[in-house]
């Protein structure tokens, strides 16, 4: 295969303006065949606007989009049979069963897949004759993903596939997404969950206010923007945060009797523990971990992603 | 246009419809309730035999003929008013609400016409009280009779199968007038509400967004929805006619134009609703929009009472409302078996349906922005 064919999505200087505000403000992207690409950003960052422009259902104000080597603006008819989409907050016909739902969407394509295979793939056999309206949120999302796969697409767009799901359902959906990657599909995932990007993505682009502020593999991002280590104390008293604050560090009160600070290495860790011991400040235990995307985001934007969760 | 996709949308809409109690109510129970309610109210308050006053200013053989003919209609109890009476005073004094005046020169004009003078016309005057529903019925019967006479005068009665006995010897009741109105109204409300609720739900759920990423086109979606509404309309029609027959013994002419009127009506209102539903943002406004479209039409287009009985300015409004042509077309076809008038009205509805479909394809998109 020629190198150009390995790039499945190529976006250049993409802009979308709403009411004189750039919801998407000059985005460039290159996504390779077979990778899971995560578009990570808080509410209103411009994720959905970007994906929907790539899918061809919103018109860009500026910029060019090549999808599967086709110009989306001109060849939307040729693109559609080759992509699968789970729109944000998608929900299907209430009074239609799982099987009927998948079968309906499958019939819209010339090359529709066998419904039973999809039911199998998404582990929905048990629920095949249940009405969509009676399914749990996690099952609904699985039906949504099944529906995004009815045409055996080369590229799958999943817009916040696990928002609002309980942890178990989220794990289920993650399993499905990993399986898709295994079958060679390219996956464009938007999310505002760090763990999701961290768990699934080969590559992550962080978007904020319509601009990509960082891009790379999860490891690269943490290496570049991470703060090294995060030290967390638990079972603390009132003195500890004050004491740490007095050392000139930024103290993160995370609740539950916990407090975190960033440190750069092992020596710093030992130094702090020494000082605390000397001062007689009490705590129950400590925990040290590598900084994650959460800190990367905080560092990049000065905002926390977590508080944005609806 | 891909028939498989059109069928798929039809099929899934049908499934949802059959499993939804609200939709079934509007398609079946609501019209039945209306027929029963209005049928019984009016069959009890209105005389079955309508008094028909005639003032014959012509006094010729032909005018007497007409009078005799009207006497032969069992719905009418014909009473003559002497020619010396001042009509306005007489009407007031005797509390009469419907008078047919045969003008002086009636026979002469008729003869001229029969001799081939195409400019010769006869103006019969009817004075009536539009607020009485019986007036509408009388007008309808009278129109039917005159239609029949016109046909005879033109000498073409053999080509149009108009059998006066089957309808004019039976009692013409309000229910005969009302059932075509209920048909038109049910198809309208079904199409408008079905489409508005359906469309705003699809949009809210993100189904349109999803569909816009698949190969189905907006035109296929619209056509499919129209076909589905047509199907629902057919179900309603069967139920309405059946109830009319079983409960009131009402029968109609099997005039194919009536079917075409209903087909184009279903298309028209589905298309109209699709065009307008774009302008509402909230699901809650959906029923408000439906009411805005259907309510005025229901009351101003002659669903319940004949438009000809309404004040002039309301008649002008009525004629600007699409449902008026539906009602006219249905009644001309079903009650009077009048192909010419029925077809005229049907073509108006068809043209409207066509315009709305094209506009729907052109002006509505899957796109959100
Ligand atoms: N149709 C529209 N009209 C006007 N403004 C819009 C429209 N769609 C999006 N916006 C604005 O563009 C910005 C980006 O929205 P977008 O939906 O792309 O964000 P997002 O990253 O997907 O957020 P979320 O996590 O909430 O889904 C927001 O400020 C939003 O208000
Ligand atoms: Mg979004």
């Amino acid at each position: 295969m020629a190198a150009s064919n390995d790039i499945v999505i190529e976006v250049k200087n993409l802009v979308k303006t709403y009411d004189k505000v750039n919801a998407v403000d000059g985005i460039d992207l290159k996504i390779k065949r077979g990778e899971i690409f995560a578009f990570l950003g808080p509410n209103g960052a411009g994720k959905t606007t970007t994906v929907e422009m790539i899918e061809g259902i919103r018109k860009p104000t500026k910029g060019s989009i090549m999808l599967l080597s086709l110009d989306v603006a001109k060849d939307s008819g040729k693109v559609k049979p080759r992509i699968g989409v789970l729109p944000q907050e998608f929900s299907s016909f209430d009074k239609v069963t799982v099987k009927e739902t998948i079968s309906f969407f499958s019939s819209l394509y010339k090359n529709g897949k066998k419904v039973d295979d999809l039911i199998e793939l998404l582990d929905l056999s048990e629920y095949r004759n249940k009405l969509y309206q009676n399914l749990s949120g996690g099952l609904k999302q699985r039906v949504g993903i099944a529906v995004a796969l009815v045409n055996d697409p080369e590229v799958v767009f999943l817009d916040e596939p696990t928002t609002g799901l309980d942890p178990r359902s989220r794990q289920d959906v993650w399993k499905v997404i990993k399986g898709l990657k295994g079958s060679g599909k390219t996956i464009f995932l938007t999310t505002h969950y760090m763990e999701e990007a961290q768990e699934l993505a080969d590559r992550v682009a962080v978007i904020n206010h319509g601009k990509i502020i960082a891009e790379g593999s999860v490891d690269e991002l943490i290496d570049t923007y991470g703060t090294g280590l995060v030290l967390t104390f638990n079972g603390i008293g009132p003195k500890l945060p004050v004491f740490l604050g007095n050392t000139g560090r930024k103290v993160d009160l995370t609740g539950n009797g916990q407090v975190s600070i960033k440190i750069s290495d092992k020596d710093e860790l030992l130094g702090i523990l020494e000082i605390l011991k000397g001062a007689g400040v009490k705590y129950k235990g400590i925990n040290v971990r590598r900084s994650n995307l959460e800190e990367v985001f905080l560092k990049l934007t000065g905002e926390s992603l977590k508080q944005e969760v609806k | 246009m891909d028939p498989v996709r059109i069928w798929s949308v039809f099929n899934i809409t049908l499934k949802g419809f059959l499993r939804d109690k609200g939709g079934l109510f509007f398609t079946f129970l609501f019209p039945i309730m209306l027929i029963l309610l209005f049928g019984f109210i009016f069959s009890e308050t209105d005389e079955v035999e309508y008094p028909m006053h005639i003032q014959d200013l012509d006094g010729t053989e032909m005018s007497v003929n007409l009078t005799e003919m009207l006497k032969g209609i069992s719905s009418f109890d014909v009473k003559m008013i002497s020619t010396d009476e001042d009509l306005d005073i007489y009407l007031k004094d005797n509390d009469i609400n419907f008078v047919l005046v045969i003008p002086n020169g009636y026979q002469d004009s008729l003869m001229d016409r029969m001799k081939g003078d195409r400019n010769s016309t006869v103006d019969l005057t009817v004075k009536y009280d539009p607020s009485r529903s019986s007036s509408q019925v009388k007008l309808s019967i009278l129109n039917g009779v005159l239609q029949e006479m016109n046909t005879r005068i033109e000498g073409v009665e053999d080509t149009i199968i108009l059998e006066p006995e089957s309808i004019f010897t039976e009692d013409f009741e309000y229910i005969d007038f009302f059932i075509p109105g209920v048909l038109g109204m049910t198809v309208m409300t079904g199409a408008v509400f079905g489409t508005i609720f359906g469309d705003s739900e699809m949009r809210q759920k993100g189904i349109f967004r999803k569909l816009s990423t698949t190969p189905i086109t907006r035109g296929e979606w619209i056509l499919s929805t129209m076909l589905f509404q047509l199907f629902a309309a057919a179900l309603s029609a069967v139920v309405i006619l059946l109830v009319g027959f079983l409960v009131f013994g009402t029968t109609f002419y099997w005039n194919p134009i009536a079917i075409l009127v209903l087909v184009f009506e279903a298309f028209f209102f589905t298309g109209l609703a699709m065009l307008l539903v774009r302008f509402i943002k909230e699901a809650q406004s959906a029923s408000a929009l439906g009411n805005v479209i259907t309510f005025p039409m229901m009351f101003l287009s002659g669903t319940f009472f004949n438009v000809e009985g309404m004040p002039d300015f309301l008649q002008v409004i009525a004629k600007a409302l699409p449902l008026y042509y539906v009602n006219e077309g249905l009644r001309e076809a079903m009650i009077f078996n009048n192909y010419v008038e029925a077809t005229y009205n049907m073509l108006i509805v068809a043209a409207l349906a066509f315009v709305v479909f094209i506009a729907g394809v052109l002006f509505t998109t899957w796109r959100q922005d």
Side-chain angles (χ1 to χ4, degrees), chain B residues 6-142:
Chain B
I6 292 171
W7 162 247
S8 290
V9 174
F10 183 96
N11 184 33
I12 202 144
T13 315
L14 177 65
K15 288 194 169 106
F17 170 78
L18 292 177
R19 292 165 189 163
D20 178 49
K21 293 185 192 78
L24 293 175
F25 173 79
F26 273 104
T27 311
F28 298 115
L29 286 178
F30 183 57
I32 293 175
M33 279 166 46
L34 266 184
I35 296 177
L36 295 180
L37 201 68
F38 275 76
F40 284 123
I41 290 175
F42 285 95
S43 69
E44 288 185 2
T45 57
D46 266 9
E47 326 85 303
V48 177
E49 209 175 49
Y50 301 102
M52 159 72 86
H53 292 80
I54 300 177
Q55 190 179 42
D56 183 357
L57 297 175
D58 198 37
T60 57
E61 193 183 324
M62 281 190 150
S63 68
V64 172
N65 250 344
L66 175 61
T67 313
E68 289 305 314
M69 194 167 154
L70 292 172
K71 279 183 183 164
I73 292 167
S74 64
S75 312
F76 286 152
D77 175 16
V78 174
K79 292 179 183 133
M80 302 303 292
I81 300 173
S82 152
T83 50
D84 348 305
E85 297 286 352
D86 180 316
L87 214 49
D88 289 332
I89 297 171
Y90 186 84
L91 293 188
K92 239 182 219 150
D93 290 350
N94 294 281
D95 193 22
I96 292 171
N97 62 47
F98 196 98
V99 180
L100 171 69
V101 183
I102 304 176
N104 193 3
Y106 170 77
Q107 172 161 309
D108 290 348
S109 312
L110 223 52
M111 295 293 282
D112 288 349
R113 179 66 176 231
M114 282 192 273
K115 280 183 205 140
D117 178 1
R118 301 216 139 247
N119 294 323
S120 169
T121 55
V122 181
D123 293 324
L124 295 176
T125 313
V126 174
K127 298 201 167 206
Y128 68 100
D129 176 357
S131 64
R132 297 287 299 262
S133 69
S134 63
S135 300
Q136 328 306 338
V137 180
K138 290 181 209 174
L139 264 183
S140 304
I141 304 175
L142 208 52

Side-chain angles (χ1 to χ4, degrees), chain A residues 18-19 23 42-49 58 88 160 192 310, chain B residues 369:
Chain A
Y18 287 118
D19 315 320
N43 285 143
K47 303 183 293 295
T48 300
T49 308
R58 292 196 207 191
Q88 183 169 7
E160 303 201 10
H192 54 219
K310 285 174 232 173
Chain B
D369 56 336

Side-chain angles (χ1 to χ4, degrees), chain B residues 199 208 216-223 274 360-361 364-366:
Chain B
D199 252 46
F208 280 164
I216 191 172
T217 64
R218 184 71 190 163
E220 286 165 347
W221 177 268
I222 295 177
L223 186 61
M274 286 211 164
V361 171
T364 77
T365 54
W366 296 122

Side-chain angles (χ1 to χ4, degrees), chain A residues 34-38 177-178 181 187-189 200-203:
Chain A
E35 75 176 347
I36 299 187
F37 176 83
I177 296 173
K178 284 177 188 162
K181 179 184 160 66
I187 295 162
F188 192 121
L189 172 81
L200 298 173
D202 298 311
R203 234 148 41 80

